[in-house]
């Protein structure tokens, strides 16, 4: 969403459109959110159908709604933690820098999990929320850090697009 214009050389065409950069970025972030929610819904449906196909027990409505709520919250947490990568795609003027930062975040996530600080590392919070990595002692500050990380990603991307020299 944020690196292709640089890689394809179409950024100059995008910026020539009579729409403010803030609106362009808002539209891009909305598309990221909607696309992520659609993929989450598809994942939910496929997993539900696979569970029925392999004959998992039907369970109770409480289990169903608890799992649905857990998936919805985890999806929102993941979506928000993706926002900083838009900044790295913009700064790196392509998609290689955000891919490298993603690898770095994955490595750091493992290190902070072993050190016992995963509940303070925004990219580990979604996994801890669904208890993939065991109980993480999630506190309200864990969710606040995820929110602030997403907000910082959006703000950084906005200020970079507003202030950086877009000469390509």
């Amino acid at each position: 969403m944020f690196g292709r214009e640089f890689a394809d050389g179409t950024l100059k065409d995008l910026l020539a459109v009579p729409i403010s950069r803030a609106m362009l970025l808002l539209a891009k972030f909305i598309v990221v959110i909607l696309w992520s929610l659609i993929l989450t819904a598809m994942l939910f449906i496929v997993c539900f159908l696979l569970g029925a196909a392999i004959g998992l027990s039907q369970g109770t409505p409480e289990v169903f709604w608890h799992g649905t709520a857990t998936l919805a919250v985890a999806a929102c947490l993941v979506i928000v933690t993706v926002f900083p990568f838009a900044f790295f795609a913009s700064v790196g003027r392509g998609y290689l820098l955000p891919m490298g930062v993603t690898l770095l975040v994955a490595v750091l996530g493992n290190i902070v999990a072993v050190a016992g600080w995963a509940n303070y590392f925004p990219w580990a919070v979604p996994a801890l929320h669904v208890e993939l990595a065991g109980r993480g002692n999630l506190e309200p500050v864990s969710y606040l850090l995820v929110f602030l990380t997403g907000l910082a990603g959006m703000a950084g991307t906005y200020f970079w697009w507003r202030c950086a020299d877009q000469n390509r």
Side-chain angles (χ1 to χ4, degrees):
M1 282 301 304
F2 289 88
R4 292 300 299 185
E5 301 88 17
F6 300 104
D8 294 343
T10 58
L11 181 67
K12 62 186 177 314
D13 301 326
L14 184 64
L15 294 177
V17 176
I19 297 173
S20 71
R21 293 179 185 190
M23 287 295 114
L24 285 172
L25 288 175
L26 180 62
K28 285 175 165 289
F29 279 115
I30 289 172
V31 169
V32 167
I33 292 168
L34 291 176
W35 183 242
S36 299
L37 291 175
I38 289 169
L39 289 174
T40 301
M42 290 172 54
L43 172 74
F44 178 78
I45 292 167
V46 167
C47 289
F48 193 65
L49 293 174
L50 283 174
I54 64 172
L56 288 179
S57 64
Q58 297 302 320
T60 64
E62 293 82 21
V63 170
F64 173 79
W65 289 114
H66 174 71
T68 302
T70 301
L71 176 65
V73 171
C76 290
L77 291 171
V78 169
I79 291 168
V80 172
T81 59
V82 167
F83 292 165
F85 296 103
F87 171 74
F88 294 114
S90 299
V91 169
R93 297 181 185 262
Y95 49 85
L96 290 178
L97 180 61
M99 289 174 62
V101 173
T102 301
L103 181 60
L104 177 65
V105 165
V107 170
L108 287 176
N110 287 316
I111 292 170
V112 297
V114 169
W117 302 326
N119 53 337
Y120 301 113
F121 190 65
W123 292 276
V125 171
L128 294 175
H129 178 77
V130 297
E131 298 180 1
L132 286 178
R135 293 242 177 240
N137 296 332
L138 287 179
E139 305 163 6
V141 71
S142 302
Y143 297 102
L144 179 64
L145 287 172
V146 169
F147 175 75
L148 292 175
T149 300
L151 193 62
M154 290 179 76
T157 305
Y158 169 73
F159 286 116
W160 189 88
W161 274 63
R162 192 177 125 218
C163 299
D165 184 21
Q166 310 290 353
N167 58 3
R168 293 185 199 183

